Amino acid sequence: MEEQLKEILSEASGVPVEDITLDSRLIADLGLTSFDFADIAVRTEEEFGILVPDEAMTHIQTVRDVLCIVQEANLG
């Protein structure tokens, strides 16, 4: 799950997968914008077959935050 998420974020940011860690900050480290978050949410939903609540995407800062959202959605 973590590697799949890193692939999505790598494609969105242009940062190589091997340079992305769970503590990578989406904006400061990966150069993503708030506009990129919508694309990431859609791609994450498609990849994992989940629904990412819009409000959840407004509180994320790191790769770990996104992973937690995916894990919680898979548990529900």
Side-chain angles (χ1 to χ4, degrees), residues 4-76:
Q4 292 166 295
L5 180 58
K6 287 180 180 180
E7 286 283 340
I8 291 169
L9 294 170
S10 174
E11 290 173 16
S13 67
V15 174
V17 172
E18 58 271 10
D19 292 342
I20 298 175
T21 69
L22 287 176
D23 294 320
S24 295
R25 296 168 295 171
L26 301 180
I27 295 172
D29 298 328
L30 302 183
L32 298 171
T33 67
S34 57
F35 296 111
D36 294 320
F37 289 9
D39 180 52
I40 291 167
V42 169
R43 294 176 67 192
T44 301
E45 289 174 341
E46 291 172 354
E47 178 72 27
F48 298 104
I50 61 170
L51 179 62
V52 176
D54 291 337
E55 63 273 5
M57 292 304 286
T58 63
H59 300 290
I60 62 170
Q61 294 183 15
T62 66
V63 174
R64 186 182 315 278
D65 294 339
V66 181
L67 183 61
C68 287
I69 291 169
V70 172
Q71 290 172 332
E72 287 174 12
N74 277 325
L75 293 176

